[in-house]
Amino acid sequence: MIKNGHHQNIPGKDAGANPGVTACSPEKRRRIIRVWCDGCYDMVHYGHSNQLRQAKAMGDYLIVGVHTDDEISKHKGPPVFTQEERYKMVRAIKWVDELVEGAPYVTTLETLDKYKCDFCVHGDDITLTVDGKDTYEEVKKSGRYRECKRTQGVSTTDLVGRMLLMTKAHHSNIGSSDYQQHTDNFGKGPRGHSPWTGVSQFLQTSQKIIQFASGQEAQPGDTIIYVAGAFDLFHIGHVDFLEAVHKLSDKPYIIVGLHFDQEVNRYKGKNYPIMNVHERTLSVLACRYVSEVVIGAPYTVTKDLLDHFKVDLVCHGKTDVLPDRDGSDPYTVPKRKSIFRTVDSGNILTTDDIVQRIIKNRLLFEARNQKKEAKEMAMIQAMKRREEEKAKERSQAVV
């Protein structure tokens, strides 16, 4: 059971206000540090969330710029999600205070000044324009650039790769050499590497969970709402559902029950889940509408579970409710107690739909991945040659 943020600030509200601080206090006099982040944020995952968490920790107010579909297509290739979907996904991350739509692909001092930001933050990986230039070159030279650690084991490129390898297995042939090699690599400890990105697999730690979770308890007067599912490839459909659930009460305390991988595999099929339960935990914890996460929740919502968490309401979306192993309805108990509600978020997007998007544009996404990797390798080689030349010059100067 992991407790998350409680009654998170929603973007647009004064995230930095503190009515308990007087006008003459040191806290009030201290200047607010405004931080800028930007990116594609396509297929938003816990790696993106961790970058934004680290960036927010470097200042007080976090502004996130998100690029348009046209800009991404020009520099990287077609995004999986539309810009409107990506805008909403980033707004749902609890560390984001403000979002800028259509941010320029190249980060400039003009942009930082326009939004009164002290500096920008990016991960310790390389971001290049279509012609191979560092998109942060200008702000780096000016000293208004900070770096945070990249989250090992995940990237949009890798997630697309996982789904492409799934399609090669036709969602049934688990013995496929491509698929088996991929799953083997992701199950062999820290030496396992993604065939797409070369990064080591994600390894969950208690520290990482603590960083994502806020540990807030439910307060008197809260409406405790329980929802459960796989929440695989945490996406805009999940966000819309959780936002709709959040609106059911003035003081909602939303508990998300995450099913273990084996359970998801039982009701979703051989190649699911795409993300393991540790990855899915962080993805859900990063959402501003979620208060608490139960890792490995039972598929059937039992009386013991409802009593333990003092649940007032159990919600499920419009997707089909699949029976438990014995053929029973997993929501029988809350239905009998008249605390079950079906919530229509107005968004019918599912994880299957995302996989189908990838399948439909498979060649485009494969080409994008290969192009991205080739460009990054060329940049790394160039930087390596530059360092070797500098080292040679220094040694000659000493002689």
Side-chain angles (χ1 to χ4, degrees), residues 166-190:
M166 281 178 62
T167 66
K168 290 177 183 176
H170 304 297
H171 298 276
S172 60
N173 185 11
I174 203 81
S176 158
S177 59
D178 283 328
Y179 184 81
Q180 196 60 52
Q181 181 183 359
H182 183 68
T183 53
D184 285 349
N185 280 342
F186 268 82
K188 286 184 177 175

Side-chain angles (χ1 to χ4, degrees), residues 88-244:
K88 192 159 192 176
M89 280 297 296
V90 174
R91 283 192 176 98
I93 296 173
K94 63 185 180 182
W95 296 287
V96 176
D97 296 304
E98 184 179 331
L99 183 131
V100 174
E101 299 180 359
Y105 199 80
V106 175
T107 309
T108 63
L109 293 174
E110 182 182 357
T111 298
L112 296 188
D113 291 341
K114 179 179 179 180
Y115 295 99
K116 299 179 174 60
C117 291
D118 295 83
F119 53 84
C120 76
V121 177
H122 186 67
D124 53 0
D125 54 340
I126 303 166
T127 303
L128 306 173
T129 62
V130 67
D131 53 0
K133 294 181 180 178
D134 184 350
T135 58
Y136 294 98
E137 184 177 1
E138 182 177 321
V139 290
K140 284 179 179 178
K141 287 181 177 178
S142 70
R144 292 172 67 181
Y145 176 85
R146 304 287 186 276
E147 213 164 70
C148 62
K149 289 196 174 295
R150 186 186 181 283
T151 305
Q152 292 297 304
V154 69
S155 68
T156 300
T157 307
D158 173 64
L159 292 176
V160 169
R162 294 191 206 185
M163 285 181 277
L164 290 176
L165 289 170
M166 281 178 62
T167 66
K168 290 177 183 176
H170 304 297
H171 298 276
S172 60
N173 185 11
I174 203 81
S176 158
S177 59
D178 283 328
Y179 184 81
Q180 196 60 52
Q181 181 183 359
H182 183 68
T183 53
D184 285 349
N185 280 342
F186 268 82
K188 286 184 177 175
R191 292 182 181 273
H193 287 76
S194 159
W196 287 95
T197 61
V199 298
S200 59
Q201 82 169 103
F202 172 71
L203 297 175
Q204 183 69 285
T205 63
S206 58
Q207 183 62 34
K208 184 61 65 185
I209 291 177
I210 290 168
Q211 289 170 345
F212 271 59
S214 302
Q216 299 270 343
E217 299 278 356
Q219 302 299 311
D222 286 352
T223 301
I224 299 176
I225 307 173
Y226 181 78
V227 302
F231 291 90
D232 195 16
L233 282 178
F234 193 75
H235 54 71
I236 190 65
H238 297 133
V239 167
D240 282 340
F241 167 67
L242 291 169
E243 183 181 18

Side-chain angles (χ1 to χ4, degrees), residues 320-387:
D320 294 335
V321 176
L322 300 172
D324 205 341
R325 296 173 189 272
D326 60 1
S328 63
D329 180 352
Y331 292 104
T332 296
V333 174
K335 284 177 179 178
R336 284 177 181 166
K337 293 170 66 74
S338 299
I339 60 170
F340 178 82
R341 185 180 300 188
T342 300
V343 175
D344 185 359
S345 68
N347 189 330
I348 60 173
L349 184 73
T350 65
T351 302
D352 293 325
D353 294 331
I354 297 170
V355 173
Q356 289 305 314
R357 288 189 191 187
I358 301 297
I359 295 171
K360 184 179 178 182
N361 297 290
R362 177 173 168 176
L363 292 177
L364 287 173
F365 289 123
E366 282 185 326
R368 183 184 83 166
N369 288 0
Q370 291 167 2
K371 177 182 175 183
K372 180 174 182 285
E373 289 175 355
K375 202 160 62 169
E376 289 180 354
M377 285 304 298
M379 182 70 167
I380 290 168
Q381 291 298 326
M383 291 170 66
K384 187 178 178 181
R385 284 195 299 270
R386 217 173 294 140
E387 286 301 316

Side-chain angles (χ1 to χ4, degrees), residues 56-75:
K56 179 65 178 282
M58 296 182 191
D60 305 296
Y61 191 83
L62 178 62
I63 303 174
V64 181
V66 180
H67 310 317
T68 63
D69 295 343
D70 288 342
E71 280 282 273
I72 296 172
S73 296
K74 175 184 174 184
H75 294 281

Side-chain angles (χ1 to χ4, degrees), residues 248-304:
L248 294 177
S249 170
D250 291 334
K251 293 182 66 182
Y253 189 88
I254 299 175
I255 301 173
V256 175
L258 285 180
H259 301 144
F260 274 136
D261 297 343
Q262 302 94 312
E263 192 64 54
V264 177
N265 185 261
R266 176 187 69 82
Y267 63 79
K268 288 282 288 181
K270 286 182 179 177
N271 300 318
Y272 288 96
I274 294 166
M275 302 179 85
N276 66 44
V277 69
H278 305 303
E279 296 175 304
R280 292 184 282 120
T281 297
L282 295 186
S283 296
V284 174
L285 281 172
C287 180
R288 67 173 67 252
Y289 304 117
V290 176
S291 303
E292 189 168 326
V293 171
V294 180
I295 303 173
Y299 188 70
T300 291
V301 181
T302 63
K303 181 180 183 300
D304 286 344

